[in-house]
Amino acid sequence: MRKIGTVDLEVLDLAIKENGTFNEDNLEKSVLKRLGVGRILDALASLKDRKLISLNTDGSFSITDLARDILWSNNVPTWAKILRLLQVKSCSMKQISDILRTPEDKLIEDIEKLRKNQFVLMSPQRQENRIIKVYEILPEGIEEIEKTETEGFDNINFAESKSVEILSIIDEIVRDIQESQIDQLEKEKITEKLSKLKDRLEI
């Protein structure tokens, strides 16, 4: 896998969002605008040199198959995409879902499998009066995903986890609570109790 940084990720994510091709106008309307023209041009030049984007005759840019293979290829297992993404930056479940273009309910089992095997760490963080789960990769996760570069994806042995189904149910309850009309303070109290339940179950 070609190594990418956070700015590289933002550019490639924009390309995927724009169906593979983006132009100056798309950049101007994106979060990348904050970087300024100089840094954006440097990022584009670097991505082009690494063959992750290509320059089109009309001045637009297109993501290459080489770049798609990092996070958006059907040939890469979801658990590996998650580890690759978390190598670049720590993410909430929503961010992982948005970047990988995969529904959250399709990610839960893989994320919990990675967490159970101590490849990723989940840390609850309070953001805008809400408790957000933020996932980050652990050294064991880095070692495992780098090993796939030479050994492929089939040689990893995940420890069997009987807790995935329980975790999925608890997470589903949390989502239902967040989407309900219950008072925000009550939502937080219930969510904290469910978090304690996970701790008691040691999962």
Side-chain angles (χ1 to χ4, degrees):
M1 184 193 91
R2 298 295 180 97
K3 300 296 183 184
I4 59 173
T6 53
V7 175
D8 297 331
L9 175 62
E10 287 185 44
V11 175
L12 297 178
D13 182 50
L14 175 64
I16 293 293
K17 180 182 177 183
E18 298 297 335
N19 296 317
T21 299
F22 63 96
N23 55 31
E24 185 179 342
D25 187 49
N26 299 133
L27 287 166
E28 182 69 20
K29 293 177 181 177
S30 75
V31 293
L32 286 157
K33 180 182 178 181
R34 76 187 188 284
L35 300 174
V37 176
R39 284 191 65 190
I40 290 176
L41 290 176
D42 287 345
L44 294 174
S46 174
L47 287 166
K48 184 173 176 293
D49 288 345
R50 286 176 284 158
K51 303 187 187 317
L52 298 178
I53 60 172
S54 58
L55 177 62
N56 302 315
T57 54
D58 63 356
S60 64
F61 293 90
S62 293
I63 187 170
T64 64
D65 289 340
L66 189 63
R68 286 182 185 275
D69 284 343
I70 298 173
L71 295 173
W72 300 283
S73 169
N74 292 330
N75 297 323
V76 179
T78 300
W79 63 263
K81 293 179 186 178
I82 295 169
L83 287 180
R84 286 180 173 182
L85 173 57
L86 296 181
Q87 264 191 298
V88 181
K89 58 180 284 190
S90 298
C91 295
S92 66
M93 175 70 89
K94 184 179 186 307
Q95 288 173 318
I96 295 171
S97 173
D98 289 346
I99 293 171
L100 298 184
R101 304 301 191 272
T102 305
E104 290 187 23
D105 59 352
K106 303 291 186 185
L107 295 170
I108 291 173
E109 184 171 347
D110 283 292
I111 285 181
E112 292 304 332
K113 186 164 58 176
L114 292 169
R115 194 172 73 85
K116 184 70 176 179
N117 283 268
Q118 299 184 331
F119 293 155
V120 304
L121 174 69
M122 187 279 286
S123 304
Q125 294 183 12
R126 186 179 294 276
Q127 297 179 8
E128 298 178 359
N129 296 321
R130 292 181 59 197
I131 302 296
I132 305 292
K133 295 178 182 178
V134 176
Y135 296 89
E136 60 182 287
I137 194 167
L138 293 171
E140 292 83 358
I142 295 173
E143 181 181 339
E144 202 62 45
I145 194 61
E146 290 185 346
K147 196 189 301 180
T148 64
E149 297 299 312
T150 54
E151 299 182 9
F153 301 112
D154 297 326
N155 293 327
I156 181 170
N157 292 314
F158 287 109
E160 288 297 321
S161 174
K162 295 180 180 178
S163 63
V164 170
E165 185 177 354
I166 298 172
L167 287 165
S168 298
I169 293 170
I170 293 175
D171 287 336
E172 188 176 341
I173 294 170
V174 170
R175 285 199 302 276
D176 289 343
I177 291 167
Q178 294 298 340
E179 293 170 2
S180 71
Q181 301 301 316
I182 302 173
D183 178 75
Q184 183 61 37
L185 187 59
E186 287 300 315
K187 287 182 182 180
E188 291 181 10
K189 284 181 180 177
I190 298 170
T191 302
E192 286 177 10
K193 286 178 181 178
L194 288 169
S195 180
K196 287 178 181 177
L197 176 60
K198 281 187 178 183
D199 293 338
R200 283 293 187 92
L201 291 169
E202 296 183 349
I203 57 176

